[in-house]
Amino acid sequence: MTSKMSLPSGSAAISSYRDQHFKGNRVEQERLLLQSSTLYVGNLSFYTTEEQIHELFSKCGDVKRIIMGLDKVQKTPCGFCFLEYYLREDAANALRYINGTRLDDRIVRTDWDAGFKEGRQYGRGKSGGQVRDEYRTDFDEGRGGYGKIVAGRIRPKPDQQKLDYLS
């Protein structure tokens, strides 16, 4: 027997994506997602500022805070953020109207988040950034060039460059 959770009135539907590192069970995560006023915002340029994010998302309501996603090694922006509104209805409007729009020449993705916890602002990739950027095969200037793994195969290592120069 499957039970369906009803959405609060005025809410955008929650997606099927779930944070695999969520500390708690699936039922608790679903409950938090249905009550949350926090959004995950992805596919940002590494050069997008908090001010740009605030300017766009404040059109849907009062933004409580923005937590920029950071490369865990370099502590530089790595293409995502968490955006918290004071009201869930404002977050639902942002999800409805801003998801899929352009910011800083990129199509942004928004989704419900169960709520920001300290430590989640860091990328989860092996190199410190986002996992998806490690495997990207195309050149994307707004996200730092080629993916980390691909770039390692394309560009010679610094020691190899010296040897090539001396030859």
Side-chain angles (χ1 to χ4, degrees):
M1 178 189 239
T2 343
S3 66
K4 292 189 176 181
M5 297 181 135
S6 62
L7 295 172
S9 62
S11 291
I14 56 175
S15 76
S16 60
Y17 171 79
R18 296 293 173 268
D19 178 5
Q20 299 302 311
H21 296 274
F22 179 78
K23 306 286 188 237
N25 63 38
R26 196 69 145 186
V27 173
E28 177 68 8
Q29 188 177 32
E30 295 287 328
R31 185 185 65 75
L32 289 172
L33 285 169
L34 290 169
Q35 298 172 349
S36 180
S37 61
T38 303
L39 298 176
Y40 166 87
V41 181
N43 200 38
L44 297 173
S45 166
F46 289 1
Y47 308 104
T48 300
T49 64
E50 281 187 47
E51 290 79 15
Q52 288 172 289
I53 295 165
H54 189 274
E55 183 180 340
L56 177 63
F57 283 86
S58 64
K59 293 176 183 184
C60 292
D62 289 332
V63 174
K64 185 174 183 180
R65 68 180 176 157
I66 298 169
I67 301 101
M68 295 297 287
L70 301 174
D71 181 298
K72 66 184 166 200
V73 176
Q74 299 174 26
K75 306 297 188 260
T76 55
C78 67
F80 72 96
C81 74
F82 295 97
L83 191 129
E84 190 176 340
Y85 282 96
Y86 286 99
L87 302 173
R88 180 173 174 90
E89 183 178 336
D90 294 342
N93 284 333
L95 189 66
R96 193 175 293 120
Y97 300 117
I98 295 177
N99 185 41
T101 63
R102 260 186 208 283
L103 174 62
D104 213 6
D105 266 343
R106 303 194 60 80
I107 304 291
V108 295
R109 294 180 295 118
T110 59
D111 203 351
W112 289 111
D113 187 77
F116 176 76
K117 299 270 192 270
E118 189 59 40
R120 291 192 58 219
Q121 71 268 36
Y122 299 112
R124 295 177 180 168
K126 291 176 186 161
S127 63
Q130 288 190 282
V131 175
R132 67 186 285 254
D133 285 319
E134 293 181 345
Y135 296 97
R136 190 170 20 78
T137 58
D138 60 323
F139 183 81
D140 188 341
E141 188 176 346
R143 291 186 71 88
Y146 286 103
K148 303 269 184 184
I149 292 170
V150 174
R153 282 188 246 144
I154 294 172
R155 296 185 199 125
K157 294 187 175 18
D159 292 308
Q160 186 63 43
Q161 286 175 333
K162 288 179 192 171
L163 290 174
D164 290 345
Y165 176 75
L166 295 172
S167 302

